[in-house]
Amino acid sequence: MKFLDEAKVYVRSGDGGPGCVSFRREKFIEFGGPNGGDGGRGGDVWIECVQGLNTLIDYRYRQHFKARKGEHGMGSNCHGAKGEDVVLQVPAGTQVLSEDGETLIADMTEVGQRVRLAKGGNGGFGNAYFTTSTNRAPRHANPGLEGQEMWVILRLKLIADAGLVGLPNAGKSTFLATVTAAKPKIADYPFTTLHPGLGVVRSDEREFVLADIPGLIEGAHEGIGLGDRFLAHVERCRVLLHLVEGTSEHAGKAYKLVRRELEAYGGGLTDKPEIVALSKADALDPETRKQQLARLKRAAGSKVLVLSAASGEGVQEALRAIQAQLDAGAAAEAEEAEPAAPWQP
């Protein structure tokens, strides 16, 4: 299945049905009077967050969604039927933006969440509605109101607890395949990962979701390489695991390059808790390992883990560090949400 994380679609709600002009005509009933029914309301356009989807591929080949119109009113005070609604099903993490790509209409983060994008037009009144004490036989009815129409942009941002960032060939996909049941493509050339991947980590009887995105290179924020738009998929992560390839020319420079791209992208990524790790440690001799580790510590200014997804060295330590950051974040959120104690004199 092709991974599609952005789509532009046109939605239109249904027009309301027109009211009916009708009179009761029966033998032996001298003053039948008006009996035209109201028109039915047009269908609405809804967007719903459902389980089992992880891409917007359904909107690649169909971009127009129109709800049904309301039915006409009829005689004998018969009201028209309501038009059928249209429901757009999207995966969790989908944002609905207006056509300008900036105004947020809805953020679909929970399964079962449902938002109305366009309301159907009301049906018109039939002539029976306009009957008064002085106008006993009105001969006019209202047309139905028009529905709403708009273009919206659907943008998917994967929901994960932790995210992997780094240069191409930093070992992100190997790490994901080692600690989860995911099966990303792994090869010895840059840009093996062409779309984000998700996996569930089970460690020490705990679980969290880990996201892997394509590698960044210098100038990614200007569109070089695969660009940086995939960074949207780690915006919702609570902690980042930054893998720096130990076999690179200079681990410190590699770290700073990725940090510059994160800063140029924005989205609060540079403010997130970060765990820095020197990857591919199994491919380094003791002298090179010591030198690269010192360079990376100077650049990061914090503790640096050493790991090798191929041999398993440092993997559990990295997972425990991620879980510790997640627990700390959850405790801080709970403390903020806890109501203050009532004041007592």
Side-chain angles (χ1 to χ4, degrees):
M1 179 183 294
K2 182 177 176 61
F3 184 86
L4 189 70
D5 61 355
E6 187 168 325
K8 186 176 182 180
V9 298
Y10 170 85
V11 297
R12 178 180 172 82
S13 58
D15 297 337
C20 175
V21 177
S22 174
F23 293 90
R24 185 178 182 186
R25 306 291 189 187
E26 294 183 49
K27 190 176 182 180
F28 304 122
I29 299 179
E30 184 176 0
F31 300 105
N35 65 353
D38 302 336
R41 194 165 67 85
D44 300 328
V45 179
W46 297 83
I47 186 164
E48 183 179 14
C49 184
V50 298
Q51 199 167 13
L53 294 179
N54 55 13
T55 176
L56 298 175
I57 190 65
D58 294 340
Y59 304 100
R60 179 176 177 84
Y61 302 106
R62 184 185 175 193
Q63 292 88 28
H64 294 78
F65 298 86
K66 300 179 182 179
R68 297 293 296 271
K69 297 179 180 180
E71 298 292 337
H72 291 238
M74 292 171 283
S76 301
N77 288 315
C78 292
H79 299 293
K82 179 184 180 297
E84 186 178 354
D85 293 343
V86 168
V87 180
L88 281 64
Q89 295 183 334
V90 295
T94 302
Q95 289 185 331
V96 185
L97 306 172
S98 61
E99 191 175 3
D100 60 12
E102 297 180 358
T103 305
L104 181 64
I105 299 175
D107 194 2
M108 315 298 291
T109 57
E110 299 180 1
V111 173
Q113 187 177 354
R114 189 179 171 99
V115 175
R116 182 167 58 188
L117 296 180
K119 182 180 179 181
N122 290 328
F125 293 121
N127 66 334
Y129 177 84
F130 298 101
T131 305
T132 65
S133 59
T134 57
N135 185 10
R136 305 305 299 169
R139 297 182 177 273
H140 67 278
N142 281 350
L145 297 180
E146 292 186 357
Q148 301 173 341
E149 60 179 349
M150 67 179 75
W151 283 91
V152 296
I153 296 174
L154 305 179
R155 186 172 295 162
L156 175 62
K157 294 182 179 180
L158 296 179
I159 296 181
D161 299 306
L164 296 171
V165 296
L167 292 172
N169 267 6
K172 302 187 297 298
S173 296
T174 306
F175 184 82
L176 181 69
T178 301
V179 301
T180 73
K183 301 188 184 313
K185 184 178 180 181
I186 301 173
D188 189 19
Y189 57 84
F191 299 115
T192 309
T193 302
L194 297 177
H195 57 77
L198 285 178
V200 178
V201 179
R202 295 177 175 86
S203 176
D204 297 334
E205 299 182 355
R206 307 287 291 277
E207 288 187 0
F208 61 87
V209 180
L210 183 65
D212 173 31
I213 64 168
L216 299 169
I217 63 173
E218 187 173 5
H221 65 282
E222 299 174 349
I224 298 177
L226 294 179
D228 66 352
R229 70 186 185 92
F230 287 114
L231 286 174
H233 297 290
V234 294
E235 280 188 29
R236 301 182 190 271
C237 296
R238 290 184 285 170
V239 59
L240 299 180
L241 177 59
H242 188 162
L243 298 185
V244 181
E245 185 181 0
T247 57
S248 61
E249 184 177 348
H250 195 293
K253 292 181 180 179
Y255 170 82
K256 290 182 179 179
L257 190 154
V258 174
R259 291 293 295 182
R260 285 196 298 269
E261 294 302 322
L262 295 179
E263 185 176 355
Y265 174 81
L269 294 183
T270 55
D271 299 328
K272 293 183 180 296
E274 181 188 49
I275 299 170
V276 184
L278 186 71
S279 63
K280 299 188 178 180
D282 59 308
L284 303 176
D285 59 74
E287 182 63 29
T288 305
R289 176 172 174 162
K290 181 179 179 181
Q291 185 182 41
Q292 291 284 57
L293 187 59
R295 290 171 175 173
L296 187 53
K297 284 183 178 179
R298 285 195 301 269
S302 62
K303 179 183 177 181
V304 175
L305 304 179
V306 178
L307 64 84
S308 169
S311 65
E313 177 187 359
V315 170
Q316 288 302 319
E317 185 180 356
L319 295 181
R320 292 190 185 100
I322 293 174
Q323 190 62 62
Q325 288 287 356
L326 294 177
D327 292 342
E333 292 176 2
E335 186 176 348
E336 291 179 0
E338 185 177 352
W343 179 82
Q344 295 181 354

